[in-house]
Amino acid sequence: MKKVLLAQCPDEAGLIAKITGLCFEHNLNITRNNEFVDKQHGRFFMRTELDGNFDNLDLLAELQASLPSGSTLSLHGGEATKVVLLATKEAHCLGGVLLKCFEQALNIEVQAVIANYPDLAPLAAGFNVPFHCISHEGLSRDEHDALVGDKIAEYAPDMIGLAKYMRILSPEFVARFSGQIVNIHHSFLPAFIGAKPYHQAFERGVKIIGATAHFVTDELDEGPIIMQQVTPVTHADSALSMAKKGRDVEKQVFCKALELAAEHKLFINGNRTVVFD
């Protein structure tokens, strides 16, 4: 059996030896190991791929007892990460994830798609994924978020992906699913915030455009960044051609961010992330 052990804790000497030593005592073979020390904040992060016969409770309990106070440990098998996707009307990010899941290129189970418009119902149906339209019309932001949150809770997902979900989330919603929400944003944050970002980029004559995937916090589009990617543009590009190129980058970055989450390669470290890829 293969599993992934995640550990983060205050840094001190000998942590790698303690963790790997206990794994050896449990007759577990380490097939891959990554570690990182945030020296500024004194935090240690480690991701270890293990092979062998597991007694999860004993291993985690012994590790918890041997590591510093405040340590966080988890052990993950090869099961698919459960994800609920939120969408509005744009299809590219949603379609990109659904296609990769269909191709078995992502270790993700898309449990449902929830949108505030019905436009993408045929896309979800084409991949046999449940679709729920929860309109925001006539509702306050808090009321709508409560309804969406209750529907998400029915599925109890590991992650929530905002596949171009064009709604500002309430603090209550973000707190309810803290550390679970991944968003995709056009451009490098915080450039070109607001409506028609590619038109703004065109007017400024930019030479690269890109996308940023990040965890969601109460600060709009300011959460810990997971990954970013760019593509070049020239004076010959129009706002429409830039938007087309931008959608391609957004799709790639969003899918990659969910892949990293599904493979347990992400740690949230304050307003930053540690990404083992």
Side-chain angles (χ1 to χ4, degrees):
M1 184 180 296
K2 297 181 179 180
K3 295 200 175 188
V4 175
L5 172 67
L6 302 181
Q8 63 168 303
C9 60
D11 187 38
E12 65 177 33
L15 290 173
I16 296 175
K18 288 180 180 179
I19 295 170
T20 57
L22 276 171
C23 290
F24 176 76
E25 290 178 16
H26 281 259
N27 297 313
L28 299 173
N29 183 41
I30 296 174
T31 59
R32 185 176 181 179
N33 195 66
N34 300 94
E35 66 276 338
F36 171 73
V37 176
D38 178 354
K39 294 182 179 180
Q40 181 180 1
H41 298 100
R43 296 291 296 176
F44 173 84
F45 302 86
M46 184 162 159
R47 179 187 185 274
T48 306
E49 295 183 9
L50 298 167
D51 195 0
N53 296 316
F54 290 84
D55 184 340
N56 297 358
L57 294 179
D58 284 351
L59 175 62
L60 291 179
E62 291 177 30
L63 283 168
Q64 196 75 57
S66 67
L67 296 179
S69 177
S71 299
T72 301
L73 298 162
S74 59
L75 196 60
H76 305 273
E79 64 276 0
T81 296
K82 297 178 180 179
V83 178
V84 169
L85 297 174
L86 305 189
T88 297
K89 292 183 177 182
E90 295 186 62
H92 57 289
C93 287
L94 176 61
V97 174
L98 294 177
L99 182 58
K100 279 188 171 289
C101 290
F102 179 79
E103 296 172 336
Q104 298 184 337
L106 286 176
N107 190 28
I108 283 174
E109 176 193 346
V110 178
Q111 298 174 291
V113 175
I114 302 173
N116 56 320
Y117 290 97
D119 302 52
L120 299 178
L123 177 58
F127 290 91
N128 296 315
V129 173
F131 182 89
H132 305 281
C133 180
I134 302 178
S135 175
H136 62 281
E137 298 292 340
L139 299 174
S140 69
R141 180 173 61 155
D142 289 343
E143 290 170 338
H144 184 253
D145 279 1
L147 291 176
V148 173
D150 289 345
K151 180 57 67 175
I152 292 171
E154 292 178 14
Y155 290 95
D158 302 307
M159 301 293 299
I160 300 163
L162 306 186
K164 301 300 290 184
Y165 184 60
M166 308 307 289
R167 299 272 298 170
I168 297 175
L169 299 173
S170 64
E172 291 77 15
F173 185 96
V174 174
R176 185 175 183 179
F177 302 104
S178 178
Q180 293 180 269
I181 311 171
V182 173
N183 188 31
I184 184 66
H185 191 281
H186 52 77
S187 82
F188 284 155
L189 300 179
F192 308 124
I193 292 175
K196 296 185 176 181
Y198 293 107
H199 286 76
Q200 296 180 52
F202 172 76
E203 294 296 335
R204 290 288 301 274
V206 303
K207 297 298 181 276
I208 59 170
I209 55 174
T212 298
H214 64 95
F215 285 104
V216 173
T217 63
D218 284 341
E219 297 297 323
L220 181 62
D221 294 327
E222 295 289 342
I225 292 171
I226 300 168
M227 72 165 299
Q228 298 174 295
Q229 187 171 313
V230 298
T231 190
V233 293
T234 74
H235 62 275
D237 278 291
S238 65
L240 291 178
S241 68
M242 288 171 63
K244 182 179 179 180
K245 291 180 179 180
R247 286 192 293 269
D248 287 340
V249 178
E250 290 171 8
K251 176 175 61 179
Q252 294 167 19
V253 172
F254 186 60
C255 289
K256 182 63 177 179
L258 293 180
E259 177 185 335
L260 291 168
E263 294 180 355
H264 311 292
K265 293 181 177 179
L266 299 177
F267 292 89
I268 296 177
N269 180 27
N271 199 43
R272 303 177 65 194
T273 58
V274 174
V275 181
F276 292 129
D277 187 17

